[in-house]
Amino acid sequence: GAGVSQSPRYKVAKRGQDVALRCDPISGHVSLFWYQQALGQGPEFLTYFQNEAQLDKSGLPSDRFFAERPEGSVSTLKIQRTQQEDSAVYLCASSLAGTGLNEQYFGPGTRLTVT
Amino acid sequence: AQSVSQHNHHVILSEAASLELGCNYSYGGTVNLFWYVQYPGQHLQLLLKYFSGDPLVKGIKGFEAEFIKSKFSFNLRKPSVQWSDTAEYFCAVNALTGGFKTIFGAGTRLFVKA
């Protein structure tokens, strides 16, 4: 594809609901990152995949957050039992190389609002 | 823990003014440094990066940044801003021994008056 795409672009969830956020990285990109961006803040690292392997999940804030990339391309970030503090923009980024050191190409983000 | 500090949250300049946005990081080892920009309504995109070599790096649209290791700084500069530079700018750091985590600063919103 032409760039990283994310869906949905906007999601409103009631507190306690589960949500699933999708990321389609650029075709052929080995690395995939998820970030959480709260209002007025920079992106905060959540997790990193190299192909289908989740090599770093140190940024996931709780065990309610789960990410997968089963075939090494599309990734899903799932948040269970959403809380108000989960309201944020969730960004996905991909990069060509299998390290975290190269340019990351960002998607438009999914804005999650938990009411 | 690594952190990135951007000194100014909001900057307002007139066209043709010079720009310098401060960025300091806390990590004593080898780092890779980035500036990303987000124009209104667009995705985050890379402005420039430093991995090694010449500490003065040039990016797109006339931007440059200087890595000063002794000051743990990577300030962004542009000699003459344009209205189209209105955007939010993020400094980011990846420590080579920090795994795959890239740490972003809180961002600086630049508004350029025409």
Side-chain angles (χ1 to χ4, degrees), chain B:
Chain B
Q2 299 167 47
S3 66
V4 176
S5 175
Q6 292 185 239
H7 311 306
N8 309 98
H9 293 294
H10 295 90
V11 173
I12 300 174
L13 295 173
S14 297
E15 276 196 313
S18 64
L19 170 73
E20 180 158 3
L21 301 183
C23 172
N24 285 88
Y25 64 92
S26 66
Y27 183 73
T30 304
V31 293
N32 294 318
L33 300 157
F34 307 84
W35 276 97
Y36 281 85
V37 61
Q38 187 166 23
Y39 297 103
Q42 296 188 25
H43 309 178
L44 269 167
Q45 60 185 280
L46 184 70
L47 198 55
L48 49 76
K49 63 187 179 187
Y50 171 80
F51 285 176
S52 63
D54 188 344
L56 185 62
V57 292
K58 297 192 183 298
I60 59 172
K61 303 186 180 184
F63 285 90
E64 64 179 31
E66 185 174 14
F67 170 49
I68 303 179
K69 189 174 181 180
S70 60
K71 294 185 178 180
F72 300 92
S73 71
F74 190 55
N75 292 354
L76 181 70
R77 299 194 293 248
K78 186 171 184 179
S80 175
V81 295
Q82 300 173 307
W83 176 80
S84 57
D85 294 325
T86 294
E88 189 159 19
Y89 294 82
F90 293 93
C91 181
V93 174
N94 177 281
L96 293 189
T97 56
F100 305 98
K101 187 179 295 191
T102 299
I103 308 297
F104 283 78
T108 297
R109 285 185 182 269
L110 170 66
F111 179 72
V112 180
K113 297 184 290 186

Side-chain angles (χ1 to χ4, degrees), chain A residues 6-73:
Chain A
Q6 293 186 245
S7 61
R9 292 293 311 278
Y10 303 90
K11 177 71 179 176
V12 179
K14 291 196 170 142
R15 193 160 57 99
Q17 282 185 330
D18 298 348
V19 298
L21 312 180
R22 178 187 168 109
C23 172
D24 282 82
I26 294 172
S27 178
H29 276 198
V30 170
S31 296
L32 186 145
F33 304 80
W34 282 100
Y35 293 89
Q36 180 189 61
Q37 186 174 19
L39 194 62
Q41 300 296 317
E44 194 163 332
F45 172 85
L46 293 177
T47 187
Y48 166 74
F49 289 87
Q50 187 177 103
N51 296 309
E52 69 279 3
Q54 189 175 20
L55 298 187
D56 190 338
K57 53 182 181 179
S58 62
L60 296 177
S62 77
D63 58 8
R64 296 186 295 105
F65 286 71
F66 172 76
E68 60 183 4
R69 193 186 184 198
E71 296 177 0
S73 55

